[in-house]
Amino acid sequence: MKKFLVLSLFLGLVGSVQALEKLDITTGAYIESENHNAAYNSSDVTVHGFRVNLNAKDFPLWTEFVYEYRNADSSSGHKGDADRYKVMLGSALKYGNFNFNPTYELRITDMRESSEKTTDHRFQPNWGYTFNDQWSLYNGWLFGYRQDDAYRGYSEVKSWDDYFHELETGVKYKFADSQAVSFSIYNEYVKSEKSDMQYRAHKFDDWQVRIAYEKKFDNGIAVSPFIRYSVSSKTENSNGVDTDHDGKGRYGVKMGYVADNGIGVYAETYYQNEPRENTPGPDSPDKNRVFFKLGLDYKF
């Protein structure tokens, strides 16, 4: 019996080693910080994230596992603290000038100070088309279903079914081997299930114009400044008040570096200004946000 167990363990280890040899493995950690002006500092959050990505070498399939420790560090306390778990499965396919990058993500956010929890199912049928060496089309689409375990006016948590999507369609022009510019139209839409304790269902609809510039330097550093501007943005709050965010702007830059030894460093920072004009009632103060992200990866 002992010989059988030892043999089974040995064969299992050999099989695991052979399986790992067929995978590109990337591990990493990152930190994010969101800070708002005084009127909205209850939205401040610091995130510590850890990720493992497994990419098959012999066929177009990858999976990724992410854990985030979300710390709502604000004067209102830590009622927004949460653990977030992400499991993703995706592929990368190419047929002629078409490329397809479908992805499914299961995202669970579990609040630490309450019984509230959200479970997202995110489907991303991303695809693009290359016209020539300079021009290409890209479509970053996301359709989501959310089960939200929340109070919504009741004294106990109930389950609610919400819908959301994020749709981005744009073109990229590559005017040098190391430089490109992109222009896109983006829409985010959220509709929450109405509670009997609410005046109406919560809705959010945001239309943006996005512009980005990409530059890759010979030393391996990549830089991409970007602008995102909301030409139409509106929240229909569940209490009956409409809030317009027209003119919301995000101005930032993304940076990255990958060394020959498999170490990668990346960062992002931006400033966002969000007007908040209420109907009916007086306007709310603008909501300003400063965001910073820094990450480190290692590819085995």
Side-chain angles (χ1 to χ4, degrees), residues 60 91-102 128-130 132-133:
S91 183
L93 307 169
K94 190 170 184 177
Y95 296 98
N97 290 345
F98 286 95
N99 61 80
F100 301 91
N101 298 277
Y129 183 84
T130 301
N132 51 47
D133 292 340

Side-chain angles (χ1 to χ4, degrees), residues 275-299:
R276 300 175 67 87
E277 299 179 359
N278 298 320
T279 306
D283 295 342
S284 300
D286 287 2
K287 186 176 184 178
N288 302 323
R289 178 195 301 174
V290 176
F291 173 87
F292 179 75
K293 180 176 183 177
L294 179 64
L296 178 67
D297 284 345
Y298 180 74
K299 183 176 180 180

Side-chain angles (χ1 to χ4, degrees), residues 8 13 19 27 44 59-60 96 128 133 147 161 164 172 184 194-195 200 209 224 233 241 257:
S8 299
L13 291 173
T27 61
D44 290 355
F59 52 94
D133 292 340
Q147 179 182 318
D161 297 322
F164 60 95
K172 178 182 287 189
S184 64
K194 180 182 178 300
S195 164
R200 62 180 178 183
V209 172
S224 178
S233 185
V241 176
Y257 172 75

Side-chain angles (χ1 to χ4, degrees), residues 24-229:
D24 285 328
I25 303 175
T26 302
T27 61
Y30 56 89
I31 184 171
E32 296 179 0
S33 175
E34 285 188 17
N35 291 283
H36 300 76
N37 51 321
Y40 301 97
N41 62 12
S42 61
S43 299
D44 290 355
V45 62
T46 301
V47 178
H48 296 84
F50 307 90
R51 60 183 288 264
V52 177
N53 181 281
L54 307 176
N55 198 331
K57 297 178 181 179
D58 298 332
F59 52 94
L61 186 67
W62 61 268
T63 186
E64 184 167 327
F65 306 91
V66 178
Y67 167 72
E68 290 183 347
Y69 181 92
R70 304 180 66 85
N71 181 33
D73 188 13
S74 67
S75 59
S76 62
H78 293 274
K79 64 180 181 180
D81 287 5
D83 297 297
R84 176 171 289 174
Y85 309 89
K86 305 177 188 178
V87 180
M88 290 161 275
L89 181 66
S91 183
L93 307 169
K94 190 170 184 177
Y95 296 98
N97 290 345
F98 286 95
N99 61 80
F100 301 91
N101 298 277
T103 302
Y104 165 74
E105 177 185 339
L106 172 65
R107 178 183 294 189
I108 299 173
T109 304
D110 196 358
M111 308 302 294
R112 292 199 206 97
E113 301 291 326
S114 73
S115 301
E116 295 176 290
K117 181 174 73 173
T118 61
T119 302
D120 290 2
H121 298 274
R122 297 170 168 241
F123 304 91
Q124 302 178 53
N126 303 321
W127 67 278
Y129 183 84
T130 301
F131 297 102
N132 51 47
D133 292 340
Q134 293 181 304
W135 288 96
S136 61
L137 170 75
Y138 61 93
N139 296 278
W141 296 349
L142 182 153
F143 300 91
Y145 158 73
R146 173 176 295 150
Q147 179 182 318
D148 188 12
D149 297 338
Y151 294 98
R152 297 194 185 179
Y154 285 92
S155 59
E156 59 184 19
V157 167
K158 296 181 178 293
S159 292
W160 311 94
D161 297 322
D162 302 337
Y163 167 82
F164 60 95
H165 71 235
E166 297 180 40
L167 307 176
E168 182 177 14
T169 295
V171 293
K172 178 182 287 189
Y173 176 70
K174 188 176 180 181
F175 54 88
D177 290 339
S178 60
Q179 299 181 71
V181 63
S182 61
F183 173 86
S184 64
I185 301 296
Y186 169 89
N187 171 243
E188 179 180 0
Y189 177 81
V190 180
K191 182 179 180 181
S192 301
E193 182 181 359
K194 180 182 178 300
S195 164
D196 291 337
M197 305 297 289
Q198 295 175 332
Y199 176 77
R200 62 180 178 183
H202 174 92
K203 294 181 182 179
F204 174 72
D205 194 13
D206 184 36
W207 287 90
Q208 298 180 5
V209 172
R210 295 183 167 187
I211 301 173
Y213 168 76
E214 300 174 9
K215 169 66 177 177
K216 295 181 180 179
F217 296 91
D218 294 338
N219 57 7
I221 296 176
V223 178
S224 178
F226 63 87
I227 296 174
R228 300 176 180 180
Y229 185 83

